Amino acid sequence: MNFFNLSNIENFEAEALKIFRYQSLNNEVYKRFIKLLHVNPDDITSVESVPFLPVEFFKSHDILSTNKRVEQIFTSSGTSGMVQSRHMVTDLGLYEESFSKGFEFFYGDIESYTVLALLPGYLEREGSSLIYMVDHLIKKSNSTYSGFYLNELESLGNLLVKLDDQGEKVLLIGVTYALLDLLQFRKFNLKNTIVMETGGMKGRRKEMVRTELHNILSEGFGVKSIHSEYGMTELLSQAYSKGQGVFETPSWMQVLIRDTEDPFHILENGRNGGVNIVDLANFNSCSFIATQDLGVKINDSQFEILGRFDHSDIRGCNLMVV
């Protein structure tokens, strides 16, 4: 896809508007949503004026912009009885290209890493897009030590120390509560390891603000900063933070911040609001998603996540009834 090679903001906007026009014609759910907003797609001349589809629609509708066969259905995690989001993926190759190029852009060649994955909550269920991505990275890493670790925290800790002491480049990627569980076994002083959290206490531990959490993890693993991955079931691209909770997007992904009282008004940099995401890799579903996250945009490619909406539904969902 051409959008993986975008070089500047102007090129991004041109490609995004082209995809918007395609999806406004070929995505029946998105087309209906736009119509109910009384928006004429031909009048949209900037990304800021594009209608963003509330992410909740992935719970109640099949969001597709193509008639191609669905290759994989990714589902969100949640407690029992909770309605899960469903992302119908018709091109797994597109997803693989997106997360592979994204990782390489921020961290270099995956083949130079040993990937140790501590993702028990995700590993114990089916349909996780995160597990699919990490499994692919593990297989591409070319290290016999790379793999998933479920309950073997002591052996994982020993391996982590061994590889780090040998000067191996290690990526330890884990859900937040599992990383904290690992620190109950021992403290570390890692020099060659990237510790990356994917978020989520999943009810296993009390929630903490990011600065408190990252301080605990930094001290426990003996690293200067804690990296983070920002992604979701409904997206095919990820943003990464190399510290301080500041995320950066690849060239085919962009974040906009909307006014919490007026979801159709995009705020300038530095103001807090709802997080809208443009993910051009979502070509076959919907590239324009209004999330439930609250955040602030720092510049064209960097943003912070500040929390989530207190209420469960984003304004605009009641325009369409299942």
Side-chain angles (χ1 to χ4, degrees):
M1 289 287 184
N2 292 334
F3 49 72
F4 288 127
N5 301 311
L6 296 173
S7 58
N8 56 49
I9 293 298
E10 290 76 16
N11 290 342
F12 177 91
E13 181 154 77
E15 189 68 25
L17 290 175
K18 184 165 66 174
I19 291 175
F20 165 71
R21 302 199 195 291
Y22 169 80
Q23 292 179 344
S24 68
L25 290 173
N26 293 281
N27 186 316
E28 291 301 321
V29 175
Y30 192 40
K31 182 198 294 186
R32 186 178 168 207
F33 177 70
I34 292 169
K35 184 177 180 180
L36 289 170
L37 292 175
H38 304 291
V39 171
N40 182 350
D42 293 335
D43 293 336
I44 300 298
T45 58
S46 68
V47 171
E48 286 79 7
S49 58
V50 167
F52 283 77
L53 187 73
V55 70
E56 288 86 355
F57 281 26
F58 282 83
K59 295 181 179 180
S60 55
H61 298 76
D62 292 341
I63 310 298
L64 287 165
S65 297
T66 177
N67 292 322
K68 293 180 180 178
R69 181 181 66 87
V70 174
E71 295 183 357
Q72 180 95 24
I73 300 175
F74 290 125
T75 57
S76 62
S77 58
T79 57
S80 177
M82 181 182 293
V83 179
Q84 293 177 305
S85 286
R86 288 158 41 95
H87 192 173
M88 324 289 278
V89 179
T90 60
D91 188 350
L92 283 169
L94 187 60
Y95 180 39
E96 292 169 6
E97 186 174 7
S98 179
F99 66 63
S100 296
K101 286 182 179 293
F103 183 88
E104 183 177 5
F105 178 79
F106 291 108
Y107 293 101
D109 192 348
I110 186 61
E111 293 184 6
S112 65
Y113 288 88
T114 296
V115 181
L116 306 179
L118 189 56
L119 302 164
Y122 294 93
L123 199 60
E124 293 167 331
R125 70 175 184 86
E126 294 183 358
S128 167
S129 58
L130 177 62
I131 292 297
Y132 187 96
M133 178 183 80
V134 175
D135 181 59
H136 191 277
L137 295 178
I138 285 171
K139 290 172 180 175
K140 290 288 186 180
S141 71
N142 284 338
S143 170
T144 56
Y145 294 109
S146 291
F148 289 99
Y149 291 82
L150 190 55
N151 299 311
E152 316 94 323
L153 295 181
E154 187 170 1
S155 60
L156 172 59
N158 293 334
L159 176 60
L160 191 54
V161 170
K162 173 186 173 181
L163 294 174
D164 193 84
D165 286 347
Q166 291 176 350
E168 297 287 335
K169 288 176 65 176
V170 178
L171 170 65
L172 172 63
I173 180 169
V175 66
T176 304
Y177 74 83
L179 292 174
L180 291 169
D181 287 347
L182 180 57
L183 292 180
Q184 288 188 326
F185 280 88
R186 65 190 300 172
K187 283 196 171 186
F188 300 85
N189 185 25
L190 303 175
K191 297 178 176 61
N192 302 293
T193 299
I194 293 171
V195 179
M196 181 182 293
E197 55 96 3
T198 65
M201 291 299 190
K202 307 296 181 187
R204 308 289 182 100
R205 289 171 175 265
K206 73 177 182 71
E207 295 290 340
M208 285 184 276
V209 296
R210 176 188 54 77
T211 50
E212 178 189 5
L213 170 65
H214 282 205
N215 285 340
I216 292 172
L217 293 176
S218 293
E219 183 179 344
F221 286 106
V223 295
K224 291 182 179 179
S225 61
I226 298 299
H227 294 225
S228 304
E229 181 261 357
Y230 179 82
M232 58 183 66
T233 301
E234 302 84 0
L235 302 175
L236 295 186
S237 301
Q238 301 76 35
Y240 289 98
S241 166
K242 294 187 176 183
Q244 308 302 315
V246 176
F247 289 93
E248 188 167 353
T249 55
S251 62
W252 58 91
M253 182 183 183
Q254 193 176 102
V255 165
L256 294 88
I257 304 298
R258 68 181 183 274
D259 192 320
T260 55
E261 295 301 319
D262 179 5
F264 305 110
H265 175 59
I266 301 300
L267 300 174
E268 61 269 22
N269 294 351
R271 293 187 59 189
N272 301 351
V275 175
N276 286 356
I277 296 179
V278 184
D279 182 5
L280 302 187
N282 270 26
F283 182 79
N284 293 315
S285 55
C286 183
S287 292
F288 309 93
I289 306 296
T291 78
Q292 288 184 315
D293 290 325
L294 291 165
V296 58
K297 189 171 177 179
I298 300 169
N299 53 44
D300 288 337
S301 63
Q302 293 182 317
F303 66 98
E304 290 184 63
I305 295 297
L306 305 176
R308 289 177 66 80
F309 279 86
D310 290 332
H311 49 83
S312 60
D313 294 320
I314 294 177
R315 296 172 186 233
C317 287
N318 61 351
L319 285 171
M320 293 174 65
V321 179
V322 180

